Amino acid sequence: MELSKEYFDGLFTYKDGSLYWKESRKGAKAGDKAGGLYGDGYISLTVNKKRYLAHRIIFLVLYRDWE
């Protein structure tokens, strides 16, 4: 599966430096803040059984590219 700006735009809303779920998912309701603080000090979240750092997804959503 190609993870793209469009894909993440379908999952999240970006507001005030954070990501929020657009739709309810297992363990989260629509409008809930996505992710949590992990031991490494970064906010991360799981999408399709893979962990992503929230700041990377935010960058992709804002700038359209991982690089």
Side-chain angles (χ1 to χ4, degrees):
M1 169 182 287
E2 178 75 24
L3 298 179
S4 64
K5 175 191 178 352
E6 292 76 20
Y7 179 77
F8 285 117
D9 276 343
L11 294 176
F12 305 109
T13 298
Y14 173 73
K15 181 174 67 173
D16 300 327
S18 297
L19 294 170
Y20 296 86
W21 293 106
K22 284 188 173 180
E23 297 179 4
S24 296
R25 305 175 58 92
K26 183 169 46 168
K29 295 179 196 170
D32 284 352
K33 190 181 267 190
L37 187 62
Y38 285 79
D40 57 7
Y42 288 97
I43 304 265
S44 62
L45 48 115
T46 303
V47 176
N48 294 334
K49 299 181 184 178
K50 184 171 179 186
R51 183 177 165 207
Y52 292 94
L53 298 174
H55 70 274
R56 300 277 318 233
I57 295 173
I58 291 168
F59 185 90
L60 177 65
V61 167
L62 294 178
Y63 298 104
R64 300 186 161 275
D65 198 348
W66 287 112
E67 300 166 10

